[in-house]
Amino acid sequence: MKRIVVLVSGGGTNLQALIDAQKSGIIKNGEITLVISSKEGAYALERAEKNGIATKVLPRKDYPDSAGYSKAILEALNEEKADLVVLAGFMTILDECIVKAYPYKMINVHPALIPSFCGEGYYGLKVHEAALSYGVKVSGATVHFVNEQADAGAIILQKAVAVENGDTPEILQKRIMEQAEWKILPEAVSLYCQDKIKIVDGKAVVDR
Ligand code: GAR
């Protein structure tokens, strides 16, 4: 069984999708052993507690810089003996000490089709605001490995979702969560835990 640590900052609907997938047996050969939140009082923490999953709060605001914060997260991951780290709505950029310690062992869900509407400054509703302001007719979600640059690691899974007339950022966010994120994130975690993702020439080759 691979030990999965999930990093969260907010509502935790993607964490909930992972918990539901774990309960229904969709995640094979993996178990969420710890949820770490960068914010006190995040609803994601309640979701974990309700399901008997250990939690830890490491508030970003308690650390003066990203390096110090990343070191604290790294210590927690090492202590937990994490095999896989999942960023599920984690709104803090971690520095490269973590990426170096967990190469191709850390994945992120992003609410757009990378390489569109991604990188520094594109997170949460801002991503959907940008997609609507550009006028794209299709958006979606991407699960990818985390590397040294924001949203630039090897892509594992993507799913497209239609943009509809009259969409607001909130409506589009909800549709992308329901139709894409909550499906491809648990699937990617399960594939990872079953060793069905290989890296070839820096790209992820997935045996679905
Ligand atoms: C999700 O849409 C996730 O893809 C996005 O924030 C939301 C978190 O929701 N993440 C990013 O924008 C990271 N760049 P949740 O807390 O309900 O899972």
Side-chain angles (χ1 to χ4, degrees):
M1 272 292 195
K2 290 203 165 47
R3 297 170 65 80
I4 305 165
V5 176
V6 184
L7 271 51
V8 297
S9 300
T13 64
N14 278 290
L15 169 66
Q16 189 66 54
L18 290 171
I19 292 171
D20 294 346
Q22 177 169 296
K23 281 186 175 166
S24 62
I26 290 172
I27 296 181
K28 299 199 172 61
N29 198 37
E31 189 190 359
I32 304 167
T33 60
L34 179 67
V35 170
I36 302 177
S37 173
S38 64
K39 284 206 184 106
E40 286 157 358
Y43 186 63
L45 291 165
E46 268 184 56
R47 296 181 190 271
E49 281 155 16
K50 272 188 200 146
N51 287 279
I53 299 168
T55 59
K56 186 172 262 190
V57 182
L58 289 172
R60 175 65 182 86
K61 62 174 174 47
D62 289 359
Y63 296 81
D65 54 25
S66 168
Y69 187 66
S70 299
K71 202 164 156 264
I73 294 273
L74 184 55
E75 277 168 15
L77 296 176
N78 289 344
E79 198 177 305
E80 188 60 21
K81 298 187 173 36
D83 296 306
L84 172 66
V85 183
V86 180
L87 311 191
F90 188 67
M91 298 304 186
T92 298
I93 292 187
L94 295 168
D95 77 16
E96 59 182 4
C97 76
I98 297 206
V99 180
K100 287 211 174 93
Y102 287 83
Y104 293 108
K105 289 183 176 178
M106 190 176 286
I107 68 177
N108 178 50
V109 60
H110 183 74
L113 294 174
I114 290 174
S116 291
F117 313 117
C118 65
E120 232 160 292
Y122 288 95
Y123 57 87
L125 277 177
K126 287 179 195 284
V127 177
H128 306 295
E129 281 161 15
L132 290 175
S133 112
Y134 199 97
V136 291
K137 302 298 178 242
V138 174
S139 190
T142 303
V143 178
H144 63 93
F145 284 108
V146 176
N147 70 4
E148 287 83 355
Q149 287 153 335
D151 300 325
I155 291 171
I156 301 169
L157 294 177
Q158 290 188 298
K159 190 161 191 291
V161 174
V163 178
E164 288 172 14
N165 291 341
D167 272 356
T168 62
E170 289 80 5
I171 291 171
L172 182 59
Q173 177 183 56
K174 187 161 180 280
R175 188 181 310 117
I176 288 175
M177 282 177 158
E178 285 172 354
Q179 294 184 10
E181 296 185 49
W182 300 343
K183 295 191 163 106
I184 63 172
L185 182 60
E187 186 185 356
V189 167
S190 185
L191 289 164
Y192 182 91
C193 290
Q194 296 173 83
D195 294 321
K196 288 187 170 178
I197 306 172
K198 302 272 173 278
I199 302 300
V200 181
D201 294 337
K203 291 174 192 64
V205 178
V206 179
D207 176 16
R208 257 175 134 170

